[in-house]
Amino acid sequence: IDPKGKKYSGGIPVDDGPDQFHLRVGGAELRVDYQGSGFTASSISGYRYNHFNGVADLDATTVPFYNAETRKELSIDWSQEFQIVSDDSGPLQYVGGLFYWHEVATDDFGASGLAVDGALTAPPPFGPGLPPPPAGSTYFAGGRGRVEIESYAPYGQVTYAITPQWELLAGARYTVEEKKLKYNHWYVTTADAVTSMVNAQNQPGGDAIPDKSKEKEFTPKIGVNWKPIDDVMLYASFSKGFKSGGFNLPDPAPPSLDEVKSEKVDSYELG
């Protein structure tokens, strides 16, 4: 692609409309530490937001075949962590704490173009059989949804030096996370055939049934460290990992909303 990003090598145009992306991110953190006798206690508070919208040509041709518009993608989250960490003055070292996280995520996304027109104007049982869109426009099939997430997790890890060369460690985390599907609304409207920008308000569509999911997971870790000489450490460990599932939003489809399953991993490390 040329430096301006509008042509392939040989002068062939990349797309039929402007690709426009707008991203705003920001956040703040406040940390307060207390130095005690042999330990440090901390409070860590965080806030972050992410806002994105944009239009993209997905078929990469001069034909308005398949375009997408993210009308709004917004996430706002808050976190609070209380933590205590020992110093390194003795054979026993530890870290422990409690982590809390809350997020509200909203998304409004859809697609337009000849591919969408073909799917929506196809007669039953292949499609809903809508009439052709007005001249100079294409259908825009979109969905907007919102999910609220709340998670908290106590955690801790202890390391004990049984000799100057050998250390044993054990730790664990217990995560409780709940996701609430506040809404998922899908709709059909129209978009400009050249710019792909939606040129009408959202039309009545349908809604998925509000839902929620709650997951609880215990993830331990054990390991051993060996320091044969100064500045060299060899280690071996086993741990379990966890990534929560959720809802695939937005979904411009019937009420059977897809859910994303959680992921789990057993990890073995040598190094």
Side-chain angles (χ1 to χ4, degrees), residues 181-217:
L181 171 63
K182 306 303 290 186
Y183 61 82
N184 179 71
H185 178 83
W186 65 93
Y187 57 90
V188 174
T189 182
T190 58
D192 188 278
V194 177
T195 65
S196 302
M197 298 295 291
V198 174
N199 55 24
Q201 296 295 320
N202 294 349
Q203 302 301 308
D207 291 279
I209 300 174
D211 198 1
K212 66 178 181 179
S213 66
K214 188 171 185 177
E215 299 182 84
K216 302 177 182 180
E217 192 68 24

Side-chain angles (χ1 to χ4, degrees), residues 239-260:
S239 61
K240 287 181 173 291
F242 165 72
K243 181 180 180 180
S244 64
F247 303 99
N248 187 22
L249 292 178
D251 188 359
S256 57
L257 190 67
D258 291 335
E259 291 192 35
V260 180

Side-chain angles (χ1 to χ4, degrees), residues 18-33:
D19 290 342
Q20 303 175 10
F21 304 99
H22 304 275
L23 176 65
R24 297 194 306 271
V25 297
E29 181 179 286
L30 175 65
R31 179 179 183 126
V32 180
D33 294 330

Side-chain angles (χ1 to χ4, degrees), residues 105-198:
T106 305
D107 206 343
D108 190 340
F109 173 84
S112 62
L114 297 177
V116 178
D117 291 348
L120 294 179
T121 58
F126 306 102
L130 298 182
S137 64
T138 67
Y139 278 123
F140 181 91
R144 65 179 187 269
R146 176 172 176 170
V147 173
E148 294 185 4
I149 308 167
E150 191 170 47
S151 175
Y152 58 89
Y155 63 90
Q157 180 171 302
V158 175
T159 303
Y160 184 74
I162 54 178
T163 71
Q165 289 77 36
W166 290 92
E167 295 178 338
L168 299 177
L169 65 91
R173 177 187 179 104
Y174 184 69
T175 303
V176 178
E177 185 166 309
E178 184 176 59
K179 290 183 170 71
K180 295 180 180 179
L181 171 63
K182 306 303 290 186
Y183 61 82
N184 179 71
H185 178 83
W186 65 93
Y187 57 90
V188 174
T189 182
T190 58
D192 188 278
V194 177
T195 65
S196 302
M197 298 295 291
V198 174

